[in-house]
Amino acid sequence: MADGYDDSLSGICTRLWELDNNRLQPGRDYEIDTQGRAKYVEKGGTPRDMARDPLFAWVDEDKLYSIPTFKAFISLLDNYSEKVGTSEEVTPEEEEENWTFLNACLETDVLREAHKYLAGKDLVPEDEEGFKHRLYDLWFKLYSRTRGRMDSSGFEHVFVGETRGRNKEVTGLHNWVQLYLEEKKGSIDYTGFKSRRTDNYDQLITIQFTWNGHVKPVGSSFIGTSPEFELALYTVCFLVGDGKDTLSLADYDVDVVTHRFGRYIGTSYPMAK
């Protein structure tokens, strides 16, 4: 091991953050408007709206769609039914989109670094093709969350989001691009922040919102980060961490939570310290 090389989980995650060259920058590529602090909402209740305006004041969409990983990622967001219990059907075109996204991610420094680290610990195959298939299994293989139906995957839950009917709740949906695009469509109503930094240029935020009439009382997301960074970070924490890992990323202290669903990723998300 080279001198000065930090082999810890926090060390590799810090390197992934530093290598995230495609990350959008606050104030230059986007701006958020956190507004009021969200109120507590009972399960099945309706939140009080403490934010008159959208969370995203603006996003540079020309830049967003010009980055190959973001463009490939966005193409995946309409491939799922949001309702838990509704069986998913992956068409050949959708499967090809999944592979296109992974191929784009594997061209980036952040995924290459994650691969090198995990292969060095004998947790994934050393060859790129084997690693890519491991990622596909972890993130895109369907499994059943309810009634034996193949209705979910790690990618759908974490990046796209799901809804449960009885309590009208949102589960998952921890990705800022999905939040932005759904808010732009009018499907998401941002109702306030739960915790944030002292300015409106956060890259890690905990918020409350409704999505198509379903409630997310508390949801945490990075803001501006690239999809390959989140894919790499959550994969590393899933394979190396203990389910709730405290990290220091630049000047952010964050817990990354991961839950297993058998062999697959059940959920993963950041929590501000």
Side-chain angles (χ1 to χ4, degrees):
M1 192 68 67
D3 291 342
Y5 184 90
D6 186 351
D7 191 44
S8 69
L9 180 59
S10 191
I12 177 59
C13 292
T14 296
R15 290 200 301 281
L16 297 178
W17 179 270
E18 293 169 348
L19 288 169
D20 189 16
N21 301 318
N22 286 333
R23 181 166 64 241
L24 271 61
Q25 297 299 324
R28 186 185 73 189
D29 302 317
Y30 69 88
E31 183 177 347
I32 61 173
D33 182 7
T34 51
Q35 301 167 77
R37 185 179 293 275
K39 304 297 184 182
Y40 173 77
V41 58
E42 297 278 355
K43 181 169 284 194
T46 300
R48 182 178 172 189
D49 197 340
M50 304 303 294
R52 176 183 300 177
D53 298 319
L55 171 63
F56 290 91
W58 55 269
V59 173
D60 184 346
E61 288 197 11
D62 288 340
K63 181 165 186 179
L64 189 69
Y65 282 92
S66 71
I67 300 171
T69 52
F70 278 101
K71 184 177 180 181
F73 173 78
I74 291 168
S75 72
L76 306 181
L77 298 179
D78 63 355
N79 289 352
Y80 299 92
S81 168
E82 71 186 54
K83 295 179 181 179
V84 171
T86 300
S87 297
E88 298 288 353
E89 180 181 352
V90 182
T91 68
E93 292 78 14
E94 290 170 349
E95 184 174 354
E96 184 176 349
E97 288 177 344
N98 294 341
W99 288 115
T100 296
F101 170 65
L102 289 180
N103 285 330
C105 288
L106 285 164
E107 291 295 316
T108 66
D109 291 340
V110 68
L111 242 294
R112 288 172 176 154
E113 183 69 14
H115 182 200
K116 181 174 72 174
Y117 176 81
L118 292 170
K121 292 184 173 295
D122 296 323
L123 294 171
V124 299
E126 290 187 4
D127 63 293
E128 183 177 291
E129 195 66 19
F131 178 51
K132 183 168 62 174
H133 279 81
R134 181 80 165 102
L135 288 174
Y136 196 101
D137 286 348
L138 282 175
W139 287 101
F140 292 106
K141 284 286 188 180
L142 295 178
Y143 51 75
S144 174
R145 287 188 185 268
T146 184
R147 296 193 293 273
R149 296 172 181 169
M150 305 300 281
D151 60 350
S152 188
S153 68
F155 183 87
E156 178 183 5
H157 185 84
V158 173
F159 291 100
V160 183
E162 299 177 296
T163 60
R164 293 182 182 273
R166 188 170 68 179
N167 291 316
K168 296 186 74 67
E169 65 177 326
V170 176
T171 63
L173 211 173
H174 298 288
N175 177 261
W176 76 271
V177 177
Q178 172 73 335
L179 284 168
Y180 165 66
L181 294 175
E182 289 296 297
E183 184 178 62
K184 181 181 176 183
K185 282 171 28 180
S187 300
I188 279 180
D189 180 19
Y190 167 67
T191 57
F193 70 88
K194 298 295 287 187
S195 65
R196 63 168 172 78
R197 301 270 294 257
T198 56
D199 54 45
N200 279 334
Y201 298 104
D202 304 51
Q203 291 186 284
L204 176 61
I205 191 167
T206 304
I207 61 174
Q208 183 183 92
F209 60 89
T210 63
W211 183 34
N212 293 325
H214 293 70
V215 180
K216 185 76 172 179
V218 181
S220 297
S221 301
F222 290 109
I223 305 288
T225 45
S226 71
E228 64 266 26
F229 167 76
E230 294 184 36
L231 188 78
L233 178 73
Y234 297 150
T235 300
V236 167
C237 288
F238 177 78
L239 293 175
V240 178
D242 61 9
K244 186 177 181 181
D245 301 290
T246 300
L247 311 172
S248 292
L249 304 177
D251 57 347
Y252 289 87
D253 291 324
V254 55
D255 286 335
V256 174
V257 176
T258 53
H259 291 163
R260 293 182 173 272
F261 205 100
R263 300 186 289 128
Y264 308 114
I265 292 173
T267 193
S268 192
Y269 56 89
M271 292 174 54
K273 294 286 287 179

